[in-house]
Amino acid sequence: MDDFEIFVNKQLQSITHFSSKNNDGVAVGILLDISESIKDMWATKIRAKNIAESLEIYANKANPKNDNFLMVFGESQQVVVQPTNDKQKMLDSIHETPNIIRQGNTRLLDSLKVALDMISKTRHQRKTLIVISDFADNSSKIGDSQIKEEVKRSSCIIYCVVIERDPPHSSPDHFLIRDLTEINGGRAFYPQTTRETSAALFRIAEDNEYQYSIGFKPTQLAETSKKDKWRAIDIKVKIPSNLNVKKKPIIRARRGFYPVQQTD
């Protein structure tokens, strides 16, 4: 605990506890793109069958205490599996995803909003959404700013597995993908092969198992006229001088929070 520092709006805070969450279950929602644009992608690179195989690897690796749900989306959303800790039910549904009829346009952001609402009602405190898509949204009613605000107000970690025809990070939505994942400590993957897709999902399962919770007592939060103002968080790790560390540690954590409103 003494090796970490937490700053809120650049002001040092007092850390009160540090604990691991390795044994707790997580609520996990998997969002799978089945639009026409991703169908074209399957034909040229990573096929739907390969994605299903990668998801099966994820399901077998994940904590059996997790509650998982599966949603497919294109022009609309369909919840294939409601939140459950029945791994076999999840595996059976994943196995059938290549047979789902492809849809037309892509309403990715709308589907993400539906998934955020859905996962907020699950029993586990920790929540994760995994989005597998080419991120070629062309039909959503919700905009970039609104969905980022929704993610900020949630405690849900977003992981994006981006299936691209062009070189990695070339998507015009690359910056949106970065923002969505980094808000609550997630990350984006840009696999170019089936093996890389499986490795990404395996890594996500590991991330869900090996997380840590750092709590702090707010000490110097500046008063503002806007009680609902976003507070930026910055976490730093102190490297002992006797350690020869060549690379700076990477910390993935929430980038901020909205203060809880007190009721009279």
Side-chain angles (χ1 to χ4, degrees), residues 70-218:
L70 175 62
M71 175 188 292
V72 295
F73 67 90
E75 184 64 35
S76 60
Q77 310 87 29
Q78 176 188 351
V79 179
V80 179
V81 181
Q82 295 287 342
T84 179
N85 59 5
D86 186 337
K87 184 172 76 171
Q88 191 56 53
K89 183 177 182 179
M90 194 70 175
L91 285 169
D92 290 344
S93 296
I94 288 171
H95 184 72
E96 291 300 318
T97 54
N99 300 323
I100 297 175
I101 297 174
R102 306 292 114 175
Q103 296 185 9
N105 292 329
T106 308
R107 298 183 66 176
L108 188 152
L109 299 187
D110 288 353
S111 301
L112 182 54
K113 173 63 168 64
V114 171
L116 284 168
D117 291 343
M118 184 174 175
I119 205 168
S120 70
K121 299 178 177 66
T122 55
R123 63 189 177 110
H124 290 300
Q125 182 178 4
R126 293 192 295 140
K127 306 176 191 300
T128 296
L129 289 177
I130 304 170
V131 185
I132 304 172
S133 173
D134 61 357
F135 284 80
D137 192 317
N138 57 13
S139 190
S140 284
K141 296 180 180 179
I142 192 172
D144 293 3
S145 298
Q146 186 178 348
I147 194 63
K148 285 191 283 187
E149 189 67 18
E150 293 286 346
V151 175
K152 278 184 174 183
R153 292 186 179 278
S154 75
S155 59
C156 186
I157 301 174
I158 309 291
Y159 290 93
C160 295
V161 180
V162 186
I163 309 299
E164 293 186 310
R165 178 181 288 107
D166 299 317
H169 305 76
S170 62
S171 168
D173 293 314
H174 168 65
F175 293 109
L176 174 62
I177 295 167
R178 181 200 62 188
D179 291 345
L180 290 175
T181 55
E182 291 184 356
I183 287 171
N184 286 326
R187 61 183 300 191
F189 298 86
Y190 293 81
Q192 295 295 293
T193 64
T194 300
R195 176 176 290 185
E196 290 178 1
T197 305
S198 297
L201 290 165
F202 189 89
R203 179 60 184 272
I204 293 169
E206 285 192 326
D207 278 5
N208 279 333
E209 286 190 54
Y210 302 105
Q211 293 181 359
Y212 298 89
S213 173
I214 303 177
F216 64 93
K217 180 181 179 181

Side-chain angles (χ1 to χ4, degrees), residues 4 181-182 185-188 203 207 210-212 214 234-239 245-255:
F4 291 87
T181 55
E182 291 184 356
R187 61 183 300 191
R203 179 60 184 272
D207 278 5
Y210 302 105
Q211 293 181 359
Y212 298 89
I214 303 177
D234 184 24
I235 301 177
K236 297 181 179 180
V237 60
K238 295 181 286 186
I239 306 298
V245 178
K246 296 182 179 180
K247 292 185 177 181
K248 184 179 179 180
I250 298 173
I251 298 175
R252 286 188 284 112
R254 294 186 69 174
R255 294 298 180 92

Side-chain angles (χ1 to χ4, degrees), residues 6-16 215-223 231 257:
I6 296 182
F7 297 82
V8 175
N9 288 350
K10 299 182 179 181
Q11 297 177 343
L12 183 64
Q13 306 299 306
S14 176
I15 296 177
T16 57
F216 64 93
K217 180 181 179 181
T219 54
Q220 299 181 35
L221 289 181
E223 292 295 328
R231 267 66 166 177
F257 66 97

Side-chain angles (χ1 to χ4, degrees), residues 27-78:
V28 180
I30 299 172
L31 283 70
L32 181 61
D33 191 338
I34 60 167
S35 65
E36 284 294 329
S37 64
I38 201 72
K39 177 184 177 181
D40 294 340
M41 202 73 71
W42 299 142
T44 59
K45 187 185 293 187
I46 304 171
R47 297 180 181 276
K49 180 181 178 182
N50 303 137
I51 291 290
E53 291 169 352
S54 297
L55 283 171
E56 288 173 4
I57 291 173
Y58 165 83
N60 283 311
K61 169 62 179 174
N63 188 334
K65 294 181 181 179
N66 290 357
D67 284 346
N68 303 283
F69 69 84
L70 175 62
M71 175 188 292
V72 295
F73 67 90
E75 184 64 35
S76 60
Q77 310 87 29
Q78 176 188 351

